[in-house]
């Protein structure tokens, strides 16, 4: 079932998440950057980062041994993009890469009974590289076996000093080894320190970690962390938000690195991502000929005209509009850091919704007006909201409603009132569009109790 290299199996943990701020307004808390279909696929269509990485893992025979870790709010959209075959582990809270990896390790150990000698390879879902990069992962079991190291990383040659990457300073390899021991690891240094590290032949850390399962289990026990999934779930809310780099990599003395000299990039900014757009304009709008190095991505139905402006990125969606110098667009993450955001567009396993309006009245009650689309044959969970009421108007199509155990048929023009606390679910008998009005306090907070995912 699992790919073998040197007689030891290899499992992949794919970290999928993010706050949705770097590529705002197209990305948000739910639809983070890995779900944006902006990259050109080999077939000529546009694909997302997560679709691309799953395709590449499949090409090298690793997809069948992959599991994904993501926040519970992103499970449905993740399932939409990766299908039903890949296990998805759900985090109840966002607590950084160390917690996500430790949780996945506990799952592999306890639930899947993984052999302690198996090699675990962790990589982020937004990894953008040649397929040769993923083929190199197959060498991790042999590298760990022959080096007797606890941890193995992938590094690539820096193109410039940056404070956005970790730096790996290697010891020159011996003989024909395809790996080097690591002399020093520095996570996201300032640019002056980065320059100094590059002079000592430092590599950028590609964000990939590999280790024997038994190493991580021992590390967790030594630090007083549980190795049972239920114990992780009970304590998740109180865990520190720390990275695997700082918690583990910086303190692991027995570590090696493999170099990768092919194409790798971190598409964590508009400037980096725009280099991979098929066209300067995606969506409705135009850029004049004299506007050089400018890009437009427009999800709104209204055209945007850019005339005589260079080095700009303009991005528009239901969540807002960004107009920024391409080199300065990465500042949007800091600008949004303390601004509360209600996602205005979300993709679900049954379809999607778009927030058309949101306001708060003088009594403190809030109102959200949504356009909801369900795909023929799909349905929401059977659930209830304790503090909000809903009003649903069928615009087009036919619906089947399960409410408090009874089923009803609704057609275009029908209106349904759903009081707070009422158990309900909606199924699309045909392709279905409806308008939904939510009324209640703190609508940005999650208020859903799922009784059944299938009914």
């Amino acid at each position: 079932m699992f790919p073998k290299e040197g007689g030891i199996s290899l499992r992949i943990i794919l970290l999928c998440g993010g706050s949705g701020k770097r590529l705002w307004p197209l990305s948000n808390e739910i639809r983070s950057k890995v779900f944006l279909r902006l990259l050109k696929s080999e077939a000529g269509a546009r694909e997302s980062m997560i679709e691309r990485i799953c395709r590449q893992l499949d090409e090298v025979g690793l997809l069948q041994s992959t599991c994904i870790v993501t926040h519970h709010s992103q499970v449905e959209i993740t399932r939409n993009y990766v299908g039903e075959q890949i296990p998805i582990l759900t985090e109840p809270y966002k607590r950084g890469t160390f917690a996500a990896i430790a949780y996945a390790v506990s799952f592999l150990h306890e639930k899947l009974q993984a052999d302690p000698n198996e090699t675990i390879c962790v990589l982020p879902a937004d990894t953008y590289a040649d397929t040769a990069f993923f083929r190199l992962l197959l060498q991790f079991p042999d590298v760990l076996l022959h080096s007797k190291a606890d941890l193995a990383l992938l590094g690539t040659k820096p193109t410039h000093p940056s404070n956005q990457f970790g730096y790996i300073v290697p010891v020159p390899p011996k003989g024909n080894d395809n790996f080097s021991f690591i002399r020093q690891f520095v996570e996201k240094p300032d640019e002056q320190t980065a320059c100094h590290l590059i002079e000592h032949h430092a590599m950028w850390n590609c964000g990939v970690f590999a280790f024997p399962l038994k190493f991580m289990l021992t590390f967790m026990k030594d630090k007083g962390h549980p190795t049972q999934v239920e114990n992780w779930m009970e304590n998740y809310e109180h865990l520190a938000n720390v990275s695997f780099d700082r918690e583990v990599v910086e303190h692991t003395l027995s570590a090696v690195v493999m170099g990768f000299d092919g194409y790798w990039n971190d598409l964590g900014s508009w400037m980096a991502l725009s280099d991979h757009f098929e066209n300067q304009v995606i969506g409705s709008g135009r850029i004049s000929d004299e506007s050089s190095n400018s890009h437009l991505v427009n999800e709104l139905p209204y055209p945007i005209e850019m005339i005589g402006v260079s080095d700009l990125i303009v991005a528009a969606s239901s969540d807002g509009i960004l107009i920024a110098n391409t080199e300065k667009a990465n500042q949007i993450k800091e600008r949004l850091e303390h601004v509360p955001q209600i996602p205005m567009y979300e993709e679900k396993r049954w379809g999607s919704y778009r927030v058309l309006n949101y306001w708060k009245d003088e009594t403190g009650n809030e109102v959200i007006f949504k356009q909801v689309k369900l795909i023929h044959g799909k349905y929401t969970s059977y659930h209830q909201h304790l503090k909000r009421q809903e009003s649903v108007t069928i615009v087009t199509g036919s619906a089947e409603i399960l409410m408090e155990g009874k089923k009803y048929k609704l057609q275009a023009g029908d209106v349904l009132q759903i009081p707070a606390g009422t158990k309900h679910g909606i199924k699309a008998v045909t392709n279905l569009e409806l308008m939904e009005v939510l009324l209640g306090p703190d609508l940005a907070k999650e208020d859903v109790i799922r009784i059944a995912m299938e009914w």
Side-chain angles (χ1 to χ4, degrees):
M1 178 180 177
F2 297 102
K4 298 279 185 176
E5 186 77 7
I8 299 177
S9 64
L10 176 65
R11 297 180 190 252
I12 302 295
I13 298 173
L14 202 58
L15 302 180
C16 178
S19 64
K21 293 183 173 69
R22 288 188 180 187
L23 296 181
W24 185 90
L26 267 63
S27 62
N28 57 36
E29 275 292 329
I30 306 300
R31 187 177 64 157
S32 59
K33 64 180 179 180
V34 299
F35 302 113
L36 302 179
R37 287 194 171 112
L38 297 174
L39 303 171
K40 184 180 179 181
S41 71
E42 291 182 344
R46 289 205 299 267
E47 66 181 351
S48 64
M49 295 179 194
I50 195 167
E51 289 170 318
R52 176 186 168 91
I53 196 171
C54 286
R55 171 173 58 79
Q56 292 176 305
L57 286 170
D58 195 32
E59 288 173 6
V60 300
L62 287 172
L63 190 62
Q64 70 268 30
S65 62
T66 295
C67 66
I68 294 174
V69 184
T70 191
H71 185 251
H72 74 88
S73 65
Q74 295 175 309
V75 169
E76 290 196 20
I77 188 171
T78 302
R79 185 61 74 198
N80 276 354
Y81 281 75
V82 305
E84 298 294 331
Q85 302 305 312
I86 303 175
I88 296 178
L89 309 184
T90 305
E91 288 187 288
Y93 302 91
K94 295 181 180 180
R95 290 296 182 265
T97 53
F98 173 73
I101 293 169
Y103 164 40
V105 164
S106 298
F107 175 84
L108 294 174
H109 168 65
E110 181 190 4
K111 303 298 184 182
L112 297 190
Q113 299 290 303
D115 190 302
N117 292 310
E118 288 185 15
T119 298
I120 309 300
C121 177
V122 182
L123 65 159
D126 60 353
T127 300
Y128 188 87
D130 296 335
T131 300
F133 178 92
F134 299 93
R135 195 169 291 115
L136 193 60
L137 306 182
L138 292 164
Q139 297 184 28
F140 272 135
D142 272 346
V143 165
L144 287 166
L145 183 67
H146 294 143
S147 67
K148 296 181 170 57
D150 293 324
L151 186 67
L153 310 181
L154 271 184
T156 192
K157 187 176 180 180
T159 58
H160 61 281
S162 170
N163 60 6
Q164 297 299 307
F165 302 107
Y167 285 76
I168 304 165
V169 181
V171 175
K174 297 178 180 179
N176 296 320
D177 287 342
N178 60 341
F179 62 86
S180 302
F181 280 89
I182 295 173
R183 175 179 288 133
Q184 184 183 14
F185 178 87
V186 182
E187 173 67 359
K188 296 182 179 178
D190 58 51
E191 290 194 10
Q192 184 177 352
T193 304
C195 286
H196 176 73
L197 292 168
I198 291 173
E199 290 174 0
H200 288 79
H201 309 290
M203 293 185 280
W204 277 342
N205 176 28
C206 294
V208 177
F209 316 106
F211 47 81
L213 179 61
K214 61 186 177 183
F215 161 73
M216 193 59 187
L217 290 171
T218 301
F219 182 94
M220 289 158 61
K221 290 176 182 176
D222 289 346
K223 294 290 184 179
H225 296 298
T227 56
Q228 293 78 36
V229 172
E230 287 74 14
N231 290 343
W232 272 106
M233 292 297 97
E234 290 172 2
N235 297 313
Y236 228 92
E237 182 178 4
H238 308 292
L239 295 175
N241 193 336
V242 293
S243 71
F244 187 85
D245 307 69
R246 295 201 185 279
E247 188 74 6
V248 179
V249 180
E250 289 187 349
H251 305 290
T252 301
L253 299 178
S254 179
V256 295
V257 60
M258 284 195 294
F260 176 67
D261 57 7
Y263 186 81
W264 173 88
N265 201 347
D266 175 39
L267 301 185
S269 68
W270 278 114
M271 183 169 68
L273 185 62
S274 62
D275 288 340
H276 299 277
F277 289 168
E278 182 181 3
N279 301 304
Q280 275 187 288
V281 177
I282 298 176
S284 180
R286 294 180 297 180
I287 299 176
S288 64
D289 293 339
E290 69 272 20
S291 301
S292 62
N293 193 35
S294 286
H295 294 85
L296 168 64
V297 185
N298 184 14
E299 291 189 337
L300 299 176
Y302 317 110
I304 295 175
E305 296 284 346
M306 297 174 63
I307 302 172
V309 288
S310 299
D311 303 312
L312 280 188
I313 178 73
V314 174
S317 79
S318 300
D319 281 276
I321 298 173
L322 171 72
I323 302 171
N325 177 277
T326 303
E327 293 185 358
K328 302 291 185 181
N330 62 328
Q331 294 179 13
I332 187 61
K333 182 178 181 180
E334 287 71 35
R335 292 177 70 92
L336 295 175
E337 203 64 49
H338 303 293
V339 179
Q341 298 284 322
I342 294 179
M344 305 298 279
Y345 175 80
E346 186 173 343
E347 295 178 30
K348 310 287 280 186
R349 61 186 175 84
W350 41 258
S352 64
Y353 74 77
R354 191 178 303 277
V355 174
L356 301 180
N357 207 347
Y358 163 79
W359 68 90
K360 182 185 292 188
D361 66 23
E362 62 277 1
T363 66
N365 278 324
E366 298 176 353
V367 181
I368 290 181
F369 187 30
K370 292 181 181 179
Q371 177 190 38
V372 182
K373 295 182 178 181
L374 280 81
I375 301 166
H376 173 216
K378 300 288 187 177
Y379 49 87
T380 70
S381 63
Y382 187 50
H383 62 279
Q384 64 183 159
H385 310 290
L386 299 181
K387 297 182 179 180
R388 63 190 61 172
Q389 58 180 300
E390 299 174 75
S391 174
V392 174
T393 302
I394 307 300
V395 178
T396 60
S398 301
E400 181 179 272
I401 309 296
L402 176 62
M403 193 158 70
E404 292 296 337
K406 295 182 179 180
K407 291 184 178 180
Y408 305 89
K409 299 287 187 181
L410 294 182
Q411 306 292 335
D414 289 341
V415 179
L416 178 68
Q417 302 294 334
I418 306 174
T422 302
K423 299 171 186 174
H424 63 283
I426 300 176
K427 178 180 179 180
V429 178
T430 65
N431 283 337
L432 182 66
E433 181 176 335
L434 56 91
M435 293 297 175
E436 181 181 44
V437 180
L438 301 176
L439 298 96
D442 297 322
L443 294 181
K445 292 184 178 179
E446 185 168 293
D447 173 26
V448 58
I449 298 174
R450 301 192 192 282
I451 293 98
M453 294 302 292
E454 298 183 7
W455 50 273

